[in-house]
Amino acid sequence: MCGIVGYIGNKEAYPILIKGLHRLEYRGYDSAGVALLNGTLNVYKCKGKVSDLEKFNEGKDLHGNIGIGHTRWATHGEPNDINAHPHYSESRNLVMIHNGIIENYSAIKQELKKRGHHFESDTDTEVLIHLIEEIQVKDNLKLAEAVRLALNEVVGAYAILILAKADTNELIAAKKGSPLVIGIGKDEFYIASDATPIVEYTKDVVYLEDEEIAIIPRHGELKIKTIKNKPKTPHVSQLEINLETIEKGGFEHFMLKEIYEQPRSVRDCMRGRLNMTKGMVQLGGIADYEQKFLNAKRIVFLACGTSWHAGLVGEYLFEDLTRIPVEVEYASEFRYRNPIIYEDDVVIAISQSGETADTLAAIELAKSKGATIIGICNVVGSSIPRHTHAGVYTHAGPEIGVASTKAFTAQVTVLTLMALRIGLRKGTIPASRFHQILTELDAIPNKITEVLEKNDQIKYIADIYKDANNALYLGRGVTFPVALEGALKLKEISYIHAEGYPAAEMKHGPIALIDEEMPVVVIATRGPNYEKVVSNIQEVKARKGKLIAIVTEGDEIVKDLAHHIIEIPATDEILAPLLAVIPLQLLSYHIAVMRGCNVDQPRNLAKSVTVE
Ligand code: G6P
């Protein structure tokens, strides 16, 4: 969480910083700030979004061709003007922005206070910049050296950018755990938490590695060293994203744009992997690791949030198609409970951002025990793919809306391809079933388009239930994770309390909540559990719940029972999540818009959770 951006070169820094902060706002948006150097060091920061900062800055001196900017998701200290970044050092000669958490900040703060330091904010960040300055002044060191020594004293995660009043020719950056990318232009450098603020200026980037410090000059070459003082040669890579993919393209919100992109994103995800002519699935990213899958006694999925729901779908897919036992773990729980990990486990980490701190830490733990780690990530070049043995990118394109949509369907698509490939090699899927699923999978993008055509009907239903206080989502088998995902989408963007439940478990608790006020969304596609789900629908109806059912086209039975039905095209039940989730995304979207909520930036959330 938190977005950081910096510029050094010949242009005015402020417009570049503000534009970059808008792009990074998905990472946090409770306060924002910039620091600009033009002879004087000006710091402007305030509570609120980047647009609030822009208003706050009207009429101020915003000149300078070196500067840093920050958009915050609060960890230490409430979101207010004082806790907003940048933070000053004791002498106010240095300013710093930070993404991450300094875990031992409290002990360091006590020591610094004893030595006469004064702190304005409640943040861990302010403690670190005070420490850096103290080290610098004590031995009259260069700033980069002081940063290096200070970082050897801290425990935790950081991506930091530091500006010194006395030096208009240099920016210092460092990272551990939180991401940082440096864009190389002609006589200029752009620095940001991800590549989106950089892409319109240059495609040449260096991804800083953990425990590296970058000395970023106005003139000359970028220098990198580790916090153990080992020089590193910057490895320049080429950005693959383009500008159109990170703009709204005529849609009112990024979330809606991303929902509508799904026919394309799922197709992109399958491109070059699903070969209908040969009737084959190929996954180059894991080709060298297939034997590990074939030998695996167990597959463990590690993920958080929506990606964890994709993992649950993966459990159904892998157990059905490969007959390998699967466990799906919240990365945050897994890492702290001394889990049992075998060397022949295949651990699959799923993450849209590739930066989720808990998932990264869980990967490291599993790796240290000798397991094979496979990544399924969306953001190319992010941290998780760099910490796995092998992996498959989802190629959904940048996802900006905080509520995940197209990343989920792309993750499920990759999991389907993987399970098909491994199942075929293991001989656990009969050839006829393999080809049948392949044909159905190939048809999914067009079927998603058909579901999207139900948008007006879904909007109509949203209008009826927009004032609900609670909602229940039910699914069974492979659609149970979709119920969880539908409930998550509703609560995170509309702030309506929603629960996802396995349909049959309803009678062990949630049924007590059902009355004539309660919308109950049931996924009742024509799969092996259909009749059972129809019985669950009857149970809801008997208690006067308001039934909204997602059904397979042509369903006549549920039509007579539910208040509303949303039809989706028929497919193999194992692929139903890819279609059934679409109306749930749209339903949440419309309800949230009708309730006046900020759909793309829901309160208290952030898209990339780089703190544990
Ligand atoms: C946050 C986001 C979710 C996302 C989760 C995991 O909570 O708001 O949309 O599912 O993090 O993120 P990841 O990038 O690892 O998939």
Side-chain angles (χ1 to χ4, degrees):
M1 7 264 290
C2 298
I4 70 180
V5 57
Y7 175 77
I8 181 166
N10 300 317
K11 298 181 191 139
E12 283 293 337
Y14 183 69
I16 295 168
L17 299 180
I18 288 293
K19 204 168 185 187
L21 289 180
H22 277 297
R23 296 243 166 91
L24 294 176
E25 227 173 353
Y26 72 87
R27 302 178 67 86
Y29 33 80
D30 58 45
S31 55
V34 290
L36 295 156
L37 190 54
N38 62 8
T40 55
L41 177 58
N42 295 316
V43 173
Y44 307 115
K45 55 184 190 171
C46 65
K47 183 180 172 182
K49 294 183 184 286
V50 177
S51 53
D52 296 309
L53 177 70
E54 283 179 274
K55 279 187 215 116
F56 176 77
N57 285 347
E58 275 167 22
K60 302 210 166 78
D61 175 8
L62 299 170
H63 293 297
N65 41 32
I66 174 168
I68 57 180
H70 188 268
T71 177
R72 180 169 186 246
W73 186 88
T75 57
H76 292 70
E78 64 170 283
N80 60 24
D81 294 353
I82 291 172
N83 289 331
H85 298 212
H87 288 285
Y88 281 111
S89 61
E90 179 73 25
S91 70
R92 300 176 90 79
N93 285 331
L94 302 178
V95 280
M96 183 170 93
I97 53 176
H98 169 215
N99 164 207
I101 291 182
I102 306 302
E103 287 168 15
N104 57 340
Y105 86 103
S106 183
I108 299 172
K109 190 172 184 176
Q110 294 318 317
E111 289 303 312
L112 289 170
K113 270 186 172 170
K114 281 188 210 152
R115 297 199 289 269
H117 286 253
H118 305 89
F119 293 94
E120 293 170 358
S121 76
D122 306 316
T123 65
D124 50 342
T125 306
E126 192 184 11
V127 174
L128 179 54
I129 192 63
H130 275 240
L131 177 67
I132 290 169
E133 181 174 67
E134 187 182 80
I135 293 173
Q136 185 189 18
V137 171
K138 191 163 137 264
D139 289 326
N140 194 18
L141 299 174
K142 288 206 157 156
L143 178 57
E145 182 58 7
V147 170
R148 189 183 77 73
L149 295 173
L151 291 179
N152 276 288
E153 288 188 30
V154 302
V155 178
Y158 51 80
I160 54 173
L161 264 180
I162 303 171
L163 193 57
K165 194 174 180 177
D167 196 347
T168 53
N169 290 318
E170 189 177 277
L171 270 175
I172 304 292
K175 106 149 205 124
K176 182 185 177 190
S178 305
L180 208 58
V181 193
I182 302 171
I184 306 171
K186 196 175 172 319
D187 290 328
E188 58 182 6
F189 292 95
Y190 302 83
I191 308 97
S193 299
D194 74 22
T196 57
I198 298 175
V199 63
E200 66 190 276
Y201 308 108
T202 176
K203 300 259 172 183
D204 295 335
V205 294
V206 173
Y207 290 95
L208 221 54
E209 298 288 341
D210 278 352
E211 301 200 332
E212 285 183 352
I213 299 168
I215 299 145
I216 308 164
R218 180 179 299 283
H219 307 290
E221 282 181 10
L222 174 69
K223 289 201 182 65
I224 297 178
K225 60 180 175 181
T226 69
I227 66 167
K228 301 288 175 233
N229 216 9
K230 197 169 147 227
K232 296 290 275 292
T233 309
H235 172 72
V236 181
S237 37
Q238 292 289 310
L239 285 180
E240 286 174 14
I241 51 171
N242 57 40
L243 205 52
E244 299 85 78
T245 59
I246 52 172
E247 297 194 327
K248 276 192 207 152
F251 283 88
E252 202 181 331
H253 297 99
F254 280 112
M255 182 181 177
L256 189 62
K257 175 188 172 224
E258 288 155 7
I259 291 173
Y260 271 84
E261 275 175 349
Q262 289 175 106
R264 182 205 51 76
S265 53
V266 169
R267 207 172 277 120
D268 284 351
C269 179
M270 297 194 293
R271 182 161 297 128
R273 295 168 173 172
L274 174 63
N275 187 329
M276 288 310 288
T277 326
K278 291 190 186 154
M280 269 313 294
V281 171
Q282 286 150 325
L283 289 167
I286 56 162
D288 293 345
Y289 283 81
E290 277 184 15
Q291 200 56 44
K292 296 276 185 192
F293 277 94
L294 301 181
N295 296 342
K297 303 265 178 330
R298 186 173 74 146
I299 290 174
V300 179
F301 285 110
L302 297 176
C304 303
T306 289
S307 299
W308 184 79
H309 295 158
L312 284 181
V313 177
E315 178 178 21
Y316 285 88
L317 287 163
F318 269 81
E319 290 201 340
D320 185 5
L321 301 178
T322 73
R323 306 308 295 151
I324 304 171
V326 172
E327 282 173 34
V328 188
E329 300 269 5
Y330 283 118
S332 53
E333 287 294 313
F334 178 85
R335 61 181 288 203
Y336 285 118
R337 66 166 169 75
N338 193 15
I340 298 164
I341 304 159
Y342 302 108
E343 286 190 359
D344 54 8
D345 280 345
V346 172
V347 171
I348 304 182
I350 310 174
S351 174
Q352 187 287 129
S353 62
E355 298 295 349
T356 302
D358 282 320
T359 310
L360 258 172
I363 287 173
E364 291 305 331
L365 176 62
K367 212 198 243 174
S368 72
K369 308 266 181 192
T372 301
I373 319 290
I374 305 293
I376 298 180
C377 293
N378 193 37
V379 178
V380 176
S382 55
S383 298
I384 291 176
R386 288 184 279 134
H387 286 80
T388 52
H389 294 110
V392 180
Y393 280 117
T394 49
H395 294 314
E399 191 181 65
I400 314 278
V402 165
S404 187
T405 53
K406 64 174 179 172
F408 174 78
T409 44
Q411 288 164 344
V412 172
T413 304
V414 167
L415 289 164
T416 311
L417 292 168
M418 260 189 192
L420 282 167
R421 170 85 196 174
I422 305 301
L424 190 72
R425 287 219 45 201
K426 275 197 85 176
T428 44
I429 320 175
S432 58
R433 174 115 207 269
F434 177 85
H435 290 292
Q436 181 202 337
I437 300 176
L438 231 57
T439 310
E440 286 294 341
L441 189 58
D442 188 45
I444 285 289
N446 289 342
K447 291 185 180 179
I448 295 178
T449 305
E450 287 178 47
V451 182
L452 291 169
E453 283 161 9
K454 303 276 155 74
N455 182 48
D456 287 347
Q457 185 204 348
I458 296 165
K459 197 170 175 182
Y460 170 82
I461 299 171
D463 194 36
I464 299 172
Y465 296 102
K466 63 179 185 302
D467 298 319
N469 293 319
N470 298 287
L472 191 58
Y473 285 69
L474 303 174
R476 226 170 152 149
V478 74
T479 62
F480 158 55
V482 181
L484 291 178
E485 177 59 10
L488 176 64
K489 286 289 88 76
L490 188 70
K491 72 185 128 189
E492 65 185 343
I493 61 168
S494 74
Y495 318 140
I496 294 174
H497 167 244
E499 283 193 50
Y501 243 79
E505 274 292 305
M506 174 185 65
K507 55 185 168 297
H508 298 292
I511 200 163
L513 300 170
I514 297 175
D515 60 16
E516 59 281 4
E517 300 288 311
M518 176 73 116
V520 182
V521 181
V522 189
I523 303 152
T525 42
R526 271 225 171 259
N529 299 315
Y530 175 73
E531 273 80 21
K532 303 280 175 210
V533 177
V534 172
S535 304
N536 302 137
I537 288 177
Q538 296 278 17
E539 291 158 9
V540 174
K541 193 173 170 64
R543 281 140 191 106
K544 300 195 167 49
K546 297 280 185 290
L547 275 156
I548 303 159
I550 313 296
V551 298
T552 307
E553 252 161 24
D555 187 305
E556 291 297 331
I557 299 170
V558 178
K559 196 175 176 184
D560 290 339
L561 299 173
H563 293 84
H564 313 273
I565 57 159
I566 302 165
E567 290 184 308
I568 61 173
T571 187
D572 191 299
E573 180 69 358
I574 215 155
L575 305 179
L578 291 167
L579 300 180
V581 75
I582 311 286
L584 306 188
Q585 296 169 345
L586 284 169
L587 188 65
S588 310
Y589 170 79
H590 288 301
I591 289 178
V593 170
M594 287 169 190
R595 287 166 71 96
C597 300
N598 187 336
V599 172
D600 283 336
Q601 294 170 350
R603 70 182 177 208
N604 304 339
L605 295 178
K607 188 152 190 73
S608 187
V609 182
T610 53
V611 296
E612 49 172 282

